[in-house]
Amino acid sequence: MAWTLSQLVEATNGVLTGELLGEDPIRFDSVSTDTRTLKSGALYAALKGANFDGHAFIAEAVKQGAVAVLISEPVETIVPSVLVEDTRIALGEFAAWHRQKMQLKALIGVTGSNGKTTTKALLANILAKQAQVLATAGNLNNDYGLPRTLLELTSSDDYAVIEMGANHHREIHYLTKIARPDVAVITLAAGAHLEGFGSLDGVIETKGEIMDGLKPGGTIVLNTDSPGFEVWCAKAKRLDLKVFSFGESEQANVRLAAFQQNHDRIHFTLRLTCLDGAERSVQTSMPMLGFHNAMNAAAAVAACLAVGLTWEQIQPGLEDFDGVAGRLQKSALPQGVLIDDTYNANPASVKAAIRTLAGLPGESVACLGAMAELGAESQSLHEDVARYAKEKGVASLLVFGVAAQSMPEAFGEGGEYFETQDALIARAIQLLEQNQVQNALVKGSRSTQMEKVSQAIVATV
Ligand code: ATP
Ligand code: MG
């Protein structure tokens, strides 16, 4: 893509200063916010964060080949600049402007408390068998990552799959207004009392904001089994949006009707009620573990049907999708499986992983790092997860991290707390080597770096 500075000015209402362009307008072909990765010919956008100010790196950006800069403070520089009030918002405005120019078959937005990246990656895998797809890379789902992603759209893309994440109210509202989805998915709402939202109602409301930016007549894909389903349906009605649903309940358009898991695949039946009212039942499988991944698949299937794909078009990309790194990845152990779900953790995702672990043949150990950002209810939420693990039949619960300290007591026999990660690793290896357990789950919030535990177990056992 190549843009002119006057397009940037038009989109952001900025003020152009510096060398004027006359008949030979200055063009830039990428947008960068980081001089370490800036490519020659880029626009450099100077962002301000809590610990840095991009304006300090303008000379460096120009040296790397930036042809213009987007700024919120007047700065002396030899390249033209566009001055705006807030560069982060200007980046969003420019991305919104660019997205509107693109003639996509559909842009699909994905939000929810869990499963966004997995559902997004699965959707991209399915759609890529049919056409050209741009999807959010990794987890770039915030007010910085989403505009950056949209600016990568080119006229040869047919579909875009865009992840939207939030820590606070109105963030999804902001993102969806930029992305303007044709179809949007809410995977689920979970986790009462999360910091930033106040309550489960707060979470429900925030996820529902994704509808604010849906194109008129667009479709919202909703989980019939999630708290908030009725609230979202009512909002969709007010906004005159179509609802297409997935879940285990009778009313779901894509109903997860049967589920089975063996060592390396999940097998499930989907009952489809297509947009034209036609009904059919399909059996499918994926090289992944976890009931919740069958739910993520149902969400993706619903979104694909909503953009007009047939089951025959959906099936190949569903059945060869083997997941996203760090999310429920499986490695073989001598007598069983290790599930590495170390990317991150909150109560709903830990329970989903425990359910997966407990569904495997054999005895199991759960190695859990503490969950972060749970606010005042942190202790009781940790204890609740511990009781859930016991209830599901997990034999041994090894925990690490101060916030997890009260879990062993809630778990009862087989629960142990460790001061250090190394001590936890040693105990887990002992249990596996003595064949007291055959399967292991390793999971924790990002800050607990539990991937080191799974690496050590796989390397030793
Ligand atoms: P983030 O908010 O960090 O971007 P995300 O919503 O993108 O997370 P994923 O990265 O897809 O979610 O998955 C993170 C973890 O959440 C997984 O490792 C898994 O344990 C859990 N998870 C995924 N899908 C679901 C689901 N449908 N229900 C409950 N838990 C899920
Ligand atoms: Mg994500």
Side-chain angles (χ1 to χ4, degrees):
M1 287 312 300
W3 300 280
T4 64
L5 278 189
S6 36
Q7 289 175 323
L8 179 66
V9 167
E10 177 197 328
T12 62
N13 273 320
V15 179
L16 183 64
T17 47
E19 272 314 296
L20 241 231
L21 330 157
E23 287 140 36
D24 191 14
I26 293 213
R27 289 175 183 278
F28 54 95
D29 52 18
S30 63
V31 178
S32 170
T33 56
D34 186 336
T35 56
R36 290 165 300 186
T37 49
L38 185 143
K39 293 197 197 82
S40 184
L43 168 82
Y44 173 68
L47 297 185
K48 280 188 185 179
N51 307 310
F52 66 91
D53 182 352
H55 292 81
F57 303 100
I58 284 176
E60 180 61 28
V62 173
K63 208 166 108 197
Q64 300 295 328
V67 291
V69 293
L70 178 69
I71 51 178
S72 60
E73 277 167 19
V75 176
E76 282 285 317
T77 163
I78 53 169
V79 297
S81 60
V82 172
L83 178 69
V84 294
E85 210 158 288
D86 183 322
T87 45
R88 202 170 270 265
I89 287 174
L91 196 63
E93 288 167 341
F94 188 50
W97 175 90
H98 177 64
R99 184 270 181 266
Q100 286 304 104
K101 293 253 179 292
M102 294 293 116
Q103 303 288 332
L104 295 169
K105 286 196 177 118
L107 186 149
I108 305 177
V110 181
T111 195
S113 296
N114 289 112
K116 297 180 288 299
T117 298
T118 306
T119 304
K120 172 212 71 183
L122 174 56
L123 274 167
N125 200 59
I126 294 169
L127 292 166
K129 310 268 184 211
Q130 305 299 323
Q132 188 160 320
V133 185
L134 175 83
T136 301
N139 203 34
L140 285 173
N141 64 16
N142 63 9
D143 61 343
Y144 155 79
L146 177 135
R148 291 293 311 279
T149 305
L150 290 178
L151 286 169
E152 277 167 30
L153 276 172
T154 70
S155 48
S156 48
D157 289 317
D158 301 298
Y159 294 102
V161 188
I162 302 295
E163 177 171 342
M164 302 185 201
N167 296 316
H168 298 284
H169 285 294
R170 306 298 286 171
E171 282 177 351
I172 300 290
H173 174 89
Y174 176 75
L175 298 174
T176 188
K177 286 282 189 182
I178 294 173
R180 301 305 310 269
D182 302 278
V183 171
V185 181
I186 305 178
T187 57
L188 79 164
H193 311 292
L194 286 178
E195 276 176 9
F197 298 117
S199 65
L200 183 58
D201 287 342
V203 175
I204 289 168
E205 191 188 323
T206 306
K207 305 307 172 204
E209 288 171 8
I210 200 167
M211 287 184 258
D212 301 346
L214 263 180
K215 293 240 184 106
T219 303
I220 180 74
V221 174
L222 297 174
N223 181 342
T224 57
D225 311 341
S226 171
F229 177 67
E230 278 83 22
V231 176
W232 295 326
C233 284
K235 178 165 180 172
K237 199 165 176 199
R238 279 200 308 281
L239 297 177
D240 215 8
L241 301 169
K242 297 188 203 93
V243 173
F244 204 61
S245 62
F246 67 95
E248 283 187 285
S249 78
E250 281 294 333
Q251 58 174 318
N253 295 95
V254 175
R255 183 157 75 87
L256 184 55
F259 173 83
Q260 252 191 333
Q261 166 173 293
N262 62 21
H263 260 126
D264 59 354
R265 282 185 93 84
I266 52 177
H267 302 259
F268 51 99
T269 303
L270 297 174
R271 177 97 197 134
L272 312 177
T273 308
C274 298
L275 290 176
D276 60 6
E279 287 189 20
R280 67 187 286 197
S281 216
V282 296
Q283 286 187 356
T284 185
S285 77
M286 293 167 85
M288 295 181 84
L289 297 178
F291 175 80
H292 61 277
N293 279 323
M295 282 299 246
N296 292 336
V301 169
C304 288
L305 292 173
V307 302
L309 265 59
T310 62
W311 169 250
E312 282 65 30
Q313 291 170 317
I314 295 168
Q315 190 176 17
L318 186 80
E319 295 188 349
D320 74 359
F321 179 72
D322 60 4
V324 185
R327 281 90 166 166
L328 228 58
Q329 294 287 293
K330 48 195 188 306
S331 313
L333 291 175
Q335 315 289 336
V337 185
L338 177 130
I339 301 174
D340 179 318
D341 202 25
T342 54
Y343 157 73
N344 216 338
N346 60 33
S349 72
V350 179
K351 284 185 178 176
I354 287 172
R355 183 170 172 178
T356 308
L357 175 73
L360 293 169
E363 295 294 330
S364 56
V365 56
C367 305
L368 302 181
M371 298 176 283
E373 291 173 23
L374 293 181
E377 304 290 307
S378 175
Q379 184 174 337
S380 64
L381 291 167
H382 277 89
E383 290 167 7
D384 181 49
V385 166
R387 280 189 293 272
Y388 184 82
K390 178 61 87 183
E391 211 179 283
K392 290 282 156 195
V394 170
S396 172
L397 176 74
L398 313 183
V399 303
F400 160 72
V402 181
Q405 221 159 358
S406 65
M407 290 178 87
E409 200 185 320
F411 183 78
E413 199 191 330
E416 294 176 64
Y417 171 76
F418 297 89
E419 297 278 336
T420 67
Q421 210 185 44
D422 284 345
L424 184 149
I425 291 172
R427 178 68 177 138
I429 289 173
Q430 188 186 38
L431 288 171
L432 286 159
E433 286 186 340
Q434 294 176 350
N435 206 20
Q436 295 188 37
V437 298
Q438 292 75 45
N439 305 305
L441 163 71
V442 187
K443 189 165 176 66
S445 277
R446 194 82 294 284
S447 55
T448 60
Q449 299 188 15
M450 294 297 281
E451 64 277 7
K452 291 183 184 160
V453 175
S454 45
Q455 282 155 13
I457 293 176
V458 171
T460 316
V461 179

Coordinates of all heavy atoms in Angstrom, one line a residue, residues 115-118 138-139 141 163 327 343, ligand 2:
G115 N -10.6 -17.5 24.5 CA -10.7 -18.1 23.2 C -10.7 -17.2 22.0 O -10.9 -17.7 20.9
K116 N -10.4 -16.0 22.2 CA -10.4 -15.0 21.1 C -9.3 -15.4 20.1 O -9.5 -15.6 18.9 CB -10.1 -13.6 21.5 CG -11.1 -13.0 22.4 CD -10.7 -11.6 22.9 CE -9.6 -11.5 23.8 NZ -9.8 -12.1 25.1
T117 N -8.0 -15.6 20.6 CA -6.9 -15.9 19.6 C -7.1 -17.2 19.0 O -6.9 -17.4 17.8 CB -5.6 -15.8 20.4 OG1 -5.4 -14.5 20.9 CG2 -4.4 -16.2 19.5
T118 N -7.6 -18.2 19.7 CA -7.8 -19.5 19.1 C -8.9 -19.5 18.1 O -8.8 -20.0 17.0 CB -8.3 -20.5 20.2 OG1 -7.3 -20.5 21.3 CG2 -8.4 -21.9 19.7
G138 N -0.5 -12.9 16.2 CA -0.3 -13.1 17.6 C -1.5 -12.6 18.4 O -2.7 -12.9 18.1
N139 N -1.2 -11.7 19.3 CA -2.3 -11.2 20.2 C -2.4 -9.7 20.1 O -2.8 -9.0 21.1 CB -1.9 -11.6 21.7 CG -3.1 -11.7 22.6 OD1 -4.1 -12.1 22.2 ND2 -2.8 -11.3 23.8
N141 N -4.2 -7.2 19.9 CA -5.7 -6.9 19.9 C -6.1 -5.6 20.6 O -7.3 -5.4 20.9 CB -6.4 -8.1 20.6 CG -6.0 -8.3 22.1 OD1 -5.5 -7.4 22.7 ND2 -6.3 -9.4 22.6
E163 N -9.0 -9.6 16.1 CA -9.2 -9.9 17.5 C -9.3 -8.5 18.2 O -8.5 -7.6 17.9 CB -8.0 -10.7 18.0 CG -8.1 -10.9 19.5 CD -7.0 -11.9 20.1 OE1 -6.4 -12.7 19.2 OE2 -6.8 -11.9 21.3
R327 N -1.4 -22.6 23.9 CA -2.8 -22.8 24.3 C -3.0 -24.3 24.1 O -3.2 -24.7 23.0 CB -3.7 -22.0 23.3 CG -3.9 -20.5 23.6 CD -2.9 -19.8 22.9 NE -3.1 -18.3 22.8 CZ -2.3 -17.5 22.4 NH1 -1.0 -17.8 22.1 NH2 -2.6 -16.2 22.4
Y343 N 0.3 -20.1 28.2 CA 0.2 -18.7 27.7 C -0.3 -17.7 28.7 O 0.2 -16.6 28.8 CB -0.6 -18.7 26.4 CG -1.1 -17.4 26.0 CD1 -0.3 -16.4 25.6 CD2 -2.5 -17.1 26.2 CE1 -0.8 -15.2 25.3 CE2 -2.9 -15.8 25.9 CZ -2.1 -14.9 25.5 OH -2.6 -13.6 25.2
Ligands
MG2 MG -5.7 -13.3 22.6

